[in-house]
Amino acid sequence: QVQLVESGGGLAQVGGSLRLSCAASGRTSTYAMGWFRQAPGKEREFVAAINWSGKSTYYADSVKGRFTISRDDAKNTVYLQMNSLKPDDTAVYSCAVGTSPYYYANNGDQWGSWGQGTQVTVSS
């Protein structure tokens, strides 16, 4: 099973930027990848996903226009560029590898391995 390790989290100010990375221990080029987040006292929520080819990306409405997901299959790594950060973006961010090449909205069963997560804190 592929192991996923997130990095790049930390403390940012409102309006600032962070870039998260998710490195996989094995090949993930034929699978969709996703980012999720969970704030204290809240359920985990979808943030962004990218299909195997990198040509199709999907975002939660709350991050659309501010976050960008991308992938580098040569490095087995997926990224989440987060700009114009808001306090509501504070959460533990986790990545996941899909079980198929494509992302399907509202299908919670499509994700295989998960990373441990990285904390993002946005302070005002």
Side-chain angles (χ1 to χ4, degrees):
Q1 194 171 11
V2 173
Q3 305 293 321
L4 302 174
V5 178
E6 301 93 341
S7 62
L11 179 64
Q13 292 188 334
V14 172
S17 298
L18 286 173
R19 188 195 195 202
L20 305 184
S21 299
C22 170
S25 62
R27 185 167 172 259
T28 55
S29 59
T30 56
Y31 298 102
M33 300 289 294
W35 282 99
F36 294 77
R37 67 186 182 186
Q38 186 168 18
K42 295 186 178 180
E43 293 187 354
R44 183 171 60 196
E45 64 174 355
F46 167 79
V47 175
I50 186 167
N51 281 351
W52 71 277
S53 66
K55 294 181 180 179
S56 296
T57 56
Y58 309 86
Y59 298 94
D61 288 343
S62 59
V63 307
K64 203 170 293 183
R66 301 187 297 121
F67 290 10
T68 303
I69 188 172
S70 61
R71 63 190 301 158
D72 183 342
D73 291 326
K75 298 181 179 179
N76 293 319
T77 299
V78 64
Y79 303 98
L80 186 68
Q81 178 67 44
M82 307 187 296
N83 298 330
S84 302
L85 285 164
K86 304 176 180 180
D88 284 349
D89 295 321
T90 295
V92 175
Y93 284 71
S94 302
C95 62
V97 59
T99 55
S100 80
Y102 303 99
Y103 166 71
Y104 299 97
N106 301 318
N107 181 354
D109 293 331
Q110 67 182 301
W111 305 105
S113 299
W114 292 81
Q116 295 285 344
T118 185
Q119 176 71 46
V120 171
T121 302
V122 183
S123 69
S124 55

mmCIF file of all heavy atoms in Angstrom, residues 43-84:
data_model
loop_
_atom_site.group_PDB
_atom_site.id
_atom_site.type_symbol
_atom_site.label_atom_id
_atom_site.label_comp_id
_atom_site.label_asym_id
_atom_site.label_seq_id
_atom_site.Cartn_x
_atom_site.Cartn_y
_atom_site.Cartn_z
ATOM 1 N N GLU A 43 -16.241 17.955 10.664
ATOM 2 C CA GLU A 43 -15.960 16.767 9.883
ATOM 3 C C GLU A 43 -14.919 17.084 8.802
ATOM 4 O O GLU A 43 -14.757 18.234 8.386
ATOM 5 C CB GLU A 43 -17.245 16.255 9.231
ATOM 6 C CG GLU A 43 -18.265 15.731 10.227
ATOM 7 C CD GLU A 43 -19.446 15.087 9.533
ATOM 8 O OE1 GLU A 43 -19.529 15.146 8.296
ATOM 9 O OE2 GLU A 43 -20.291 14.513 10.240
ATOM 10 N N ARG A 44 -14.264 16.029 8.352
ATOM 11 C CA ARG A 44 -13.326 16.203 7.255
ATOM 12 C C ARG A 44 -14.085 16.624 6.003
ATOM 13 O O ARG A 44 -15.161 16.105 5.699
ATOM 14 C CB ARG A 44 -12.575 14.899 7.005
ATOM 15 C CG ARG A 44 -11.521 14.988 5.919
ATOM 16 C CD ARG A 44 -10.669 13.739 5.883
ATOM 17 N NE ARG A 44 -11.459 12.553 5.612
ATOM 18 C CZ ARG A 44 -11.033 11.313 5.818
ATOM 19 N NH1 ARG A 44 -9.831 11.111 6.332
ATOM 20 N NH2 ARG A 44 -11.804 10.290 5.534
ATOM 21 N N GLU A 45 -13.493 17.570 5.259
ATOM 22 C CA GLU A 45 -14.145 18.047 4.053
ATOM 23 C C GLU A 45 -13.196 18.008 2.868
ATOM 24 O O GLU A 45 -11.979 18.151 3.017
ATOM 25 C CB GLU A 45 -14.673 19.477 4.253
ATOM 26 C CG GLU A 45 -13.618 20.521 4.485
ATOM 27 C CD GLU A 45 -14.199 21.935 4.530
ATOM 28 O OE1 GLU A 45 -15.410 22.099 4.295
ATOM 29 O OE2 GLU A 45 -13.415 22.871 4.784
ATOM 30 N N PHE A 46 -13.785 17.827 1.714
ATOM 31 C CA PHE A 46 -13.041 17.826 0.466
ATOM 32 C C PHE A 46 -12.521 19.224 0.170
ATOM 33 O O PHE A 46 -13.222 20.223 0.365
ATOM 34 C CB PHE A 46 -13.963 17.342 -0.653
ATOM 35 C CG PHE A 46 -13.431 17.568 -2.036
ATOM 36 C CD1 PHE A 46 -12.477 16.710 -2.568
ATOM 37 C CD2 PHE A 46 -13.877 18.623 -2.807
ATOM 38 C CE1 PHE A 46 -11.985 16.903 -3.842
ATOM 39 C CE2 PHE A 46 -13.388 18.828 -4.083
ATOM 40 C CZ PHE A 46 -12.443 17.965 -4.599
ATOM 41 N N VAL A 47 -11.276 19.289 -0.331
ATOM 42 C CA VAL A 47 -10.682 20.568 -0.724
ATOM 43 C C VAL A 47 -10.450 20.619 -2.225
ATOM 44 O O VAL A 47 -10.901 21.542 -2.896
ATOM 45 C CB VAL A 47 -9.359 20.815 0.029
ATOM 46 C CG1 VAL A 47 -8.689 22.087 -0.476
ATOM 47 C CG2 VAL A 47 -9.597 20.887 1.530
ATOM 48 N N ALA A 48 -9.733 19.628 -2.740
ATOM 49 C CA ALA A 48 -9.378 19.646 -4.163
ATOM 50 C C ALA A 48 -9.000 18.244 -4.620
ATOM 51 O O ALA A 48 -8.616 17.400 -3.810
ATOM 52 C CB ALA A 48 -8.220 20.600 -4.425
ATOM 53 N N ALA A 49 -9.136 18.008 -5.925
ATOM 54 C CA ALA A 49 -8.739 16.732 -6.501
ATOM 55 C C ALA A 49 -8.207 16.954 -7.904
ATOM 56 O O ALA A 49 -8.520 17.965 -8.551
ATOM 57 C CB ALA A 49 -9.903 15.744 -6.512
ATOM 58 N N ILE A 50 -7.411 15.994 -8.348
ATOM 59 C CA ILE A 50 -6.825 16.075 -9.683
ATOM 60 C C ILE A 50 -6.841 14.686 -10.302
ATOM 61 O O ILE A 50 -6.529 13.688 -9.638
ATOM 62 C CB ILE A 50 -5.393 16.650 -9.601
ATOM 63 C CG1 ILE A 50 -4.809 16.884 -10.992
ATOM 64 C CG2 ILE A 50 -4.478 15.771 -8.752
ATOM 65 C CD1 ILE A 50 -3.531 17.747 -10.949
ATOM 66 N N ASN A 51 -7.242 14.610 -11.575
ATOM 67 C CA ASN A 51 -7.271 13.327 -12.256
ATOM 68 C C ASN A 51 -5.859 12.845 -12.579
ATOM 69 O O ASN A 51 -4.888 13.610 -12.453
ATOM 70 C CB ASN A 51 -8.090 13.427 -13.536
ATOM 71 C CG ASN A 51 -9.572 13.365 -13.260
ATOM 72 O OD1 ASN A 51 -9.991 13.091 -12.136
ATOM 73 N ND2 ASN A 51 -10.373 13.638 -14.269
ATOM 74 N N TRP A 52 -5.754 11.610 -13.019
ATOM 75 C CA TRP A 52 -4.446 10.996 -13.246
ATOM 76 C C TRP A 52 -3.609 11.784 -14.236
ATOM 77 O O TRP A 52 -2.388 11.872 -14.102
ATOM 78 C CB TRP A 52 -4.636 9.569 -13.767
ATOM 79 C CG TRP A 52 -5.153 9.540 -15.176
ATOM 80 C CD1 TRP A 52 -6.445 9.652 -15.592
ATOM 81 C CD2 TRP A 52 -4.363 9.414 -16.364
ATOM 82 N NE1 TRP A 52 -6.520 9.613 -16.950
ATOM 83 C CE2 TRP A 52 -5.259 9.462 -17.455
ATOM 84 C CE3 TRP A 52 -2.999 9.271 -16.613
ATOM 85 C CZ2 TRP A 52 -4.824 9.360 -18.771
ATOM 86 C CZ3 TRP A 52 -2.571 9.169 -17.924
ATOM 87 C CH2 TRP A 52 -3.483 9.212 -18.980
ATOM 88 N N SER A 53 -4.250 12.390 -15.233
ATOM 89 C CA SER A 53 -3.515 13.094 -16.280
ATOM 90 C C SER A 53 -3.080 14.482 -15.852
ATOM 91 O O SER A 53 -2.225 15.091 -16.494
ATOM 92 C CB SER A 53 -4.392 13.214 -17.524
ATOM 93 O OG SER A 53 -5.503 14.058 -17.246
ATOM 94 N N GLY A 54 -3.691 14.989 -14.791
ATOM 95 C CA GLY A 54 -3.418 16.357 -14.382
ATOM 96 C C GLY A 54 -4.212 17.381 -15.162
ATOM 97 O O GLY A 54 -4.135 18.574 -14.866
ATOM 98 N N LYS A 55 -4.988 16.947 -16.132
ATOM 99 C CA LYS A 55 -5.706 17.879 -16.989
ATOM 100 C C LYS A 55 -7.037 18.328 -16.400
ATOM 101 O O LYS A 55 -7.608 19.328 -16.849
ATOM 102 C CB LYS A 55 -5.932 17.238 -18.357
ATOM 103 C CG LYS A 55 -4.640 16.997 -19.133
ATOM 104 C CD LYS A 55 -4.915 16.380 -20.486
ATOM 105 C CE LYS A 55 -3.613 16.151 -21.257
ATOM 106 N NZ LYS A 55 -3.858 15.527 -22.582
ATOM 107 N N SER A 56 -7.546 17.594 -15.437
ATOM 108 C CA SER A 56 -8.820 17.960 -14.813
ATOM 109 C C SER A 56 -8.626 18.140 -13.317
ATOM 110 O O SER A 56 -8.047 17.263 -12.657
ATOM 111 C CB SER A 56 -9.874 16.879 -15.066
ATOM 112 O OG SER A 56 -10.159 16.770 -16.445
ATOM 113 N N THR A 57 -9.082 19.270 -12.816
ATOM 114 C CA THR A 57 -8.984 19.564 -11.398
ATOM 115 C C THR A 57 -10.361 19.966 -10.864
ATOM 116 O O THR A 57 -11.209 20.445 -11.615
ATOM 117 C CB THR A 57 -7.979 20.689 -11.123
ATOM 118 O OG1 THR A 57 -8.349 21.847 -11.876
ATOM 119 C CG2 THR A 57 -6.565 20.263 -11.515
ATOM 120 N N TYR A 58 -10.546 19.779 -9.580
ATOM 121 C CA TYR A 58 -11.831 20.011 -8.933
ATOM 122 C C TYR A 58 -11.572 20.676 -7.586
ATOM 123 O O TYR A 58 -10.610 20.326 -6.900
ATOM 124 C CB TYR A 58 -12.559 18.681 -8.730
ATOM 125 C CG TYR A 58 -12.644 17.862 -9.985
ATOM 126 C CD1 TYR A 58 -11.604 17.012 -10.343
ATOM 127 C CD2 TYR A 58 -13.747 17.951 -10.828
ATOM 128 C CE1 TYR A 58 -11.658 16.267 -11.513
ATOM 129 C CE2 TYR A 58 -13.808 17.208 -12.001
ATOM 130 C CZ TYR A 58 -12.761 16.377 -12.332
ATOM 131 O OH TYR A 58 -12.814 15.638 -13.489
ATOM 132 N N TYR A 59 -12.453 21.603 -7.222
ATOM 133 C CA TYR A 59 -12.248 22.363 -5.989
ATOM 134 C C TYR A 59 -13.561 22.527 -5.231
ATOM 135 O O TYR A 59 -14.634 22.631 -5.825
ATOM 136 C CB TYR A 59 -11.687 23.740 -6.301
ATOM 137 C CG TYR A 59 -10.336 23.700 -6.971
ATOM 138 C CD1 TYR A 59 -10.222 23.749 -8.355
ATOM 139 C CD2 TYR A 59 -9.173 23.602 -6.217
ATOM 140 C CE1 TYR A 59 -8.990 23.702 -8.976
ATOM 141 C CE2 TYR A 59 -7.928 23.558 -6.835
ATOM 142 C CZ TYR A 59 -7.850 23.593 -8.207
ATOM 143 O OH TYR A 59 -6.622 23.541 -8.816
ATOM 144 N N ALA A 60 -13.429 22.593 -3.909
ATOM 145 C CA ALA A 60 -14.561 23.010 -3.103
ATOM 146 C C ALA A 60 -14.828 24.485 -3.381
ATOM 147 O O ALA A 60 -13.902 25.257 -3.660
ATOM 148 C CB ALA A 60 -14.245 22.795 -1.622
ATOM 149 N N ASP A 61 -16.079 24.877 -3.290
ATOM 150 C CA ASP A 61 -16.419 26.271 -3.556
ATOM 151 C C ASP A 61 -15.671 27.236 -2.642
ATOM 152 O O ASP A 61 -15.328 28.346 -3.041
ATOM 153 C CB ASP A 61 -17.930 26.474 -3.382
ATOM 154 C CG ASP A 61 -18.740 25.845 -4.503
ATOM 155 O OD1 ASP A 61 -18.159 25.542 -5.569
ATOM 156 O OD2 ASP A 61 -19.951 25.648 -4.307
ATOM 157 N N SER A 62 -15.395 26.786 -1.434
ATOM 158 C CA SER A 62 -14.757 27.654 -0.448
ATOM 159 C C SER A 62 -13.313 27.996 -0.788
ATOM 160 O O SER A 62 -12.761 28.961 -0.240
ATOM 161 C CB SER A 62 -14.820 27.011 0.940
ATOM 162 O OG SER A 62 -14.176 25.749 0.926
ATOM 163 N N VAL A 63 -12.685 27.219 -1.673
ATOM 164 C CA VAL A 63 -11.278 27.472 -1.997
ATOM 165 C C VAL A 63 -11.078 27.811 -3.470
ATOM 166 O O VAL A 63 -9.963 28.152 -3.881
ATOM 167 C CB VAL A 63 -10.386 26.271 -1.624
ATOM 168 C CG1 VAL A 63 -10.609 25.886 -0.165
ATOM 169 C CG2 VAL A 63 -10.632 25.080 -2.543
ATOM 170 N N LYS A 64 -12.132 27.730 -4.244
ATOM 171 C CA LYS A 64 -12.015 27.967 -5.680
ATOM 172 C C LYS A 64 -11.490 29.360 -5.941
ATOM 173 O O LYS A 64 -11.938 30.340 -5.348
ATOM 174 C CB LYS A 64 -13.384 27.774 -6.340
ATOM 175 C CG LYS A 64 -13.352 27.454 -7.798
ATOM 176 C CD LYS A 64 -14.732 27.055 -8.288
ATOM 177 C CE LYS A 64 -15.200 25.758 -7.692
ATOM 178 N NZ LYS A 64 -16.510 25.309 -8.207
ATOM 179 N N GLY A 65 -10.495 29.454 -6.817
ATOM 180 C CA GLY A 65 -9.885 30.744 -7.137
ATOM 181 C C GLY A 65 -8.742 31.121 -6.223
ATOM 182 O O GLY A 65 -7.994 32.060 -6.514
ATOM 183 N N ARG A 66 -8.584 30.403 -5.116
ATOM 184 C CA ARG A 66 -7.496 30.689 -4.174
ATOM 185 C C ARG A 66 -6.484 29.548 -4.096
ATOM 186 O O ARG A 66 -5.296 29.783 -3.886
ATOM 187 C CB ARG A 66 -8.058 30.952 -2.777
ATOM 188 C CG ARG A 66 -9.032 32.109 -2.704
ATOM 189 C CD ARG A 66 -9.411 32.420 -1.255
ATOM 190 N NE ARG A 66 -10.093 31.321 -0.602
ATOM 191 C CZ ARG A 66 -9.655 30.719 0.509
ATOM 192 N NH1 ARG A 66 -8.522 31.119 1.069
ATOM 193 N NH2 ARG A 66 -10.349 29.735 1.056
ATOM 194 N N PHE A 67 -6.964 28.317 -4.224
ATOM 195 C CA PHE A 67 -6.097 27.146 -4.115
ATOM 196 C C PHE A 67 -5.903 26.523 -5.494
ATOM 197 O O PHE A 67 -6.802 26.547 -6.326
ATOM 198 C CB PHE A 67 -6.714 26.099 -3.183
ATOM 199 C CG PHE A 67 -6.753 26.474 -1.724
ATOM 200 C CD1 PHE A 67 -6.459 27.753 -1.281
ATOM 201 C CD2 PHE A 67 -7.091 25.514 -0.774
ATOM 202 C CE1 PHE A 67 -6.495 28.088 0.065
ATOM 203 C CE2 PHE A 67 -7.133 25.817 0.577
ATOM 204 C CZ PHE A 67 -6.844 27.122 0.989
ATOM 205 N N THR A 68 -4.728 25.914 -5.682
ATOM 206 C CA THR A 68 -4.434 25.214 -6.927
ATOM 207 C C THR A 68 -3.784 23.871 -6.623
ATOM 208 O O THR A 68 -2.774 23.824 -5.907
ATOM 209 C CB THR A 68 -3.495 26.035 -7.821
ATOM 210 O OG1 THR A 68 -4.083 27.315 -8.087
ATOM 211 C CG2 THR A 68 -3.248 25.312 -9.137
ATOM 212 N N ILE A 69 -4.370 22.817 -7.151
ATOM 213 C CA ILE A 69 -3.788 21.488 -7.000
ATOM 214 C C ILE A 69 -3.007 21.142 -8.259
ATOM 215 O O ILE A 69 -3.426 21.490 -9.373
ATOM 216 C CB ILE A 69 -4.887 20.429 -6.720
ATOM 217 C CG1 ILE A 69 -4.255 19.072 -6.372
ATOM 218 C CG2 ILE A 69 -5.863 20.321 -7.874
ATOM 219 C CD1 ILE A 69 -5.265 18.036 -5.890
ATOM 220 N N SER A 70 -1.872 20.491 -8.075
ATOM 221 C CA SER A 70 -1.065 20.073 -9.213
ATOM 222 C C SER A 70 -0.330 18.794 -8.834
ATOM 223 O O SER A 70 -0.293 18.411 -7.664
ATOM 224 C CB SER A 70 -0.075 21.167 -9.621
ATOM 225 O OG SER A 70 0.817 21.458 -8.557
ATOM 226 N N ARG A 71 0.267 18.159 -9.829
ATOM 227 C CA ARG A 71 0.993 16.923 -9.551
ATOM 228 C C ARG A 71 2.257 16.844 -10.390
ATOM 229 O O ARG A 71 2.311 17.367 -11.506
ATOM 230 C CB ARG A 71 0.098 15.710 -9.811
ATOM 231 C CG ARG A 71 -0.370 15.529 -11.231
ATOM 232 C CD ARG A 71 -1.450 14.448 -11.328
ATOM 233 N NE ARG A 71 -0.985 13.159 -10.836
ATOM 234 C CZ ARG A 71 -1.778 12.185 -10.420
ATOM 235 N NH1 ARG A 71 -3.090 12.359 -10.445
ATOM 236 N NH2 ARG A 71 -1.282 11.039 -10.002
ATOM 237 N N ASP A 72 3.261 16.186 -9.830
ATOM 238 C CA ASP A 72 4.515 15.914 -10.528
ATOM 239 C C ASP A 72 4.732 14.413 -10.415
ATOM 240 O O ASP A 72 5.233 13.923 -9.388
ATOM 241 C CB ASP A 72 5.656 16.698 -9.891
ATOM 242 C CG ASP A 72 6.975 16.518 -10.620
ATOM 243 O OD1 ASP A 72 7.095 15.539 -11.395
ATOM 244 O OD2 ASP A 72 7.884 17.326 -10.416
ATOM 245 N N ASP A 73 4.352 13.686 -11.432
ATOM 246 C CA ASP A 73 4.412 12.229 -11.360
ATOM 247 C C ASP A 73 5.837 11.687 -11.383
ATOM 248 O O ASP A 73 6.080 10.561 -10.943
ATOM 249 C CB ASP A 73 3.583 11.614 -12.489
ATOM 250 C CG ASP A 73 2.095 11.846 -12.283
ATOM 251 O OD1 ASP A 73 1.655 11.867 -11.114
ATOM 252 O OD2 ASP A 73 1.382 12.031 -13.286
ATOM 253 N N ALA A 74 6.760 12.467 -11.871
ATOM 254 C CA ALA A 74 8.165 12.038 -11.815
ATOM 255 C C ALA A 74 8.639 11.955 -10.375
ATOM 256 O O ALA A 74 9.553 11.188 -10.052
ATOM 257 C CB ALA A 74 9.030 12.998 -12.615
ATOM 258 N N LYS A 75 8.016 12.757 -9.514
ATOM 259 C CA LYS A 75 8.382 12.774 -8.098
ATOM 260 C C LYS A 75 7.333 12.093 -7.227
ATOM 261 O O LYS A 75 7.459 12.087 -5.996
ATOM 262 C CB LYS A 75 8.564 14.216 -7.624
ATOM 263 C CG LYS A 75 9.687 14.960 -8.332
ATOM 264 C CD LYS A 75 9.811 16.375 -7.795
ATOM 265 C CE LYS A 75 10.956 17.121 -8.485
ATOM 266 N NZ LYS A 75 11.091 18.521 -7.989
ATOM 267 N N ASN A 76 6.279 11.546 -7.860
ATOM 268 C CA ASN A 76 5.180 10.932 -7.099
ATOM 269 C C ASN A 76 4.667 11.894 -6.027
ATOM 270 O O ASN A 76 4.448 11.497 -4.868
ATOM 271 C CB ASN A 76 5.630 9.613 -6.462
ATOM 272 C CG ASN A 76 5.917 8.547 -7.483
ATOM 273 O OD1 ASN A 76 5.185 8.394 -8.457
ATOM 274 N ND2 ASN A 76 7.003 7.819 -7.299
ATOM 275 N N THR A 77 4.488 13.135 -6.411
ATOM 276 C CA THR A 77 4.117 14.179 -5.457
ATOM 277 C C THR A 77 2.943 14.999 -5.997
ATOM 278 O O THR A 77 2.898 15.302 -7.188
ATOM 279 C CB THR A 77 5.308 15.098 -5.176
ATOM 280 O OG1 THR A 77 6.377 14.317 -4.609
ATOM 281 C CG2 THR A 77 4.934 16.193 -4.184
ATOM 282 N N VAL A 78 2.039 15.330 -5.096
ATOM 283 C CA VAL A 78 0.945 16.231 -5.432
ATOM 284 C C VAL A 78 1.064 17.461 -4.533
ATOM 285 O O VAL A 78 1.511 17.356 -3.384
ATOM 286 C CB VAL A 78 -0.421 15.529 -5.273
ATOM 287 C CG1 VAL A 78 -0.688 15.140 -3.832
ATOM 288 C CG2 VAL A 78 -1.545 16.393 -5.807
ATOM 289 N N TYR A 79 0.724 18.611 -5.072
ATOM 290 C CA TYR A 79 0.885 19.872 -4.367
ATOM 291 C C TYR A 79 -0.465 20.564 -4.185
ATOM 292 O O TYR A 79 -1.407 20.343 -4.951
ATOM 293 C CB TYR A 79 1.816 20.795 -5.151
ATOM 294 C CG TYR A 79 3.162 20.208 -5.433
ATOM 295 C CD1 TYR A 79 3.442 19.616 -6.659
ATOM 296 C CD2 TYR A 79 4.172 20.249 -4.480
ATOM 297 C CE1 TYR A 79 4.682 19.059 -6.933
ATOM 298 C CE2 TYR A 79 5.423 19.700 -4.742
ATOM 299 C CZ TYR A 79 5.663 19.108 -5.963
ATOM 300 O OH TYR A 79 6.902 18.574 -6.220
ATOM 301 N N LEU A 80 -0.506 21.424 -3.183
ATOM 302 C CA LEU A 80 -1.652 22.302 -2.999
ATOM 303 C C LEU A 80 -1.109 23.692 -2.705
ATOM 304 O O LEU A 80 -0.568 23.940 -1.618
ATOM 305 C CB LEU A 80 -2.545 21.829 -1.861
ATOM 306 C CG LEU A 80 -3.842 22.626 -1.694
ATOM 307 C CD1 LEU A 80 -4.772 22.380 -2.897
ATOM 308 C CD2 LEU A 80 -4.560 22.252 -0.398
ATOM 309 N N GLN A 81 -1.196 24.561 -3.699
ATOM 310 C CA GLN A 81 -0.799 25.951 -3.523
ATOM 311 C C GLN A 81 -1.981 26.711 -2.954
ATOM 312 O O GLN A 81 -3.053 26.736 -3.572
ATOM 313 C CB GLN A 81 -0.373 26.556 -4.856
ATOM 314 C CG GLN A 81 0.009 28.021 -4.777
ATOM 315 C CD GLN A 81 1.263 28.262 -3.973
ATOM 316 O OE1 GLN A 81 2.247 27.549 -4.110
ATOM 317 N NE2 GLN A 81 1.226 29.276 -3.102
ATOM 318 N N MET A 82 -1.792 27.320 -1.803
ATOM 319 C CA MET A 82 -2.872 28.018 -1.115
ATOM 320 C C MET A 82 -2.530 29.501 -1.025
ATOM 321 O O MET A 82 -1.532 29.872 -0.385
ATOM 322 C CB MET A 82 -3.076 27.429 0.288
ATOM 323 C CG MET A 82 -3.282 25.917 0.288
ATOM 324 S SD MET A 82 -3.720 25.265 1.907
ATOM 325 C CE MET A 82 -2.238 25.648 2.821
ATOM 326 N N ASN A 83 -3.324 30.310 -1.663
ATOM 327 C CA ASN A 83 -3.132 31.760 -1.655
ATOM 328 C C ASN A 83 -4.317 32.440 -0.989
ATOM 329 O O ASN A 83 -5.377 31.838 -0.795
ATOM 330 C CB ASN A 83 -2.986 32.275 -3.090
ATOM 331 C CG ASN A 83 -1.778 31.701 -3.803
ATOM 332 O OD1 ASN A 83 -0.757 31.385 -3.187
ATOM 333 N ND2 ASN A 83 -1.887 31.546 -5.110
ATOM 334 N N SER A 84 -4.120 33.698 -0.655
ATOM 335 C CA SER A 84 -5.196 34.501 -0.037
ATOM 336 C C SER A 84 -5.829 33.755 1.127
ATOM 337 O O SER A 84 -7.061 33.651 1.233
ATOM 338 C CB SER A 84 -6.262 34.841 -1.086
ATOM 339 O OG SER A 84 -5.695 35.544 -2.169
#
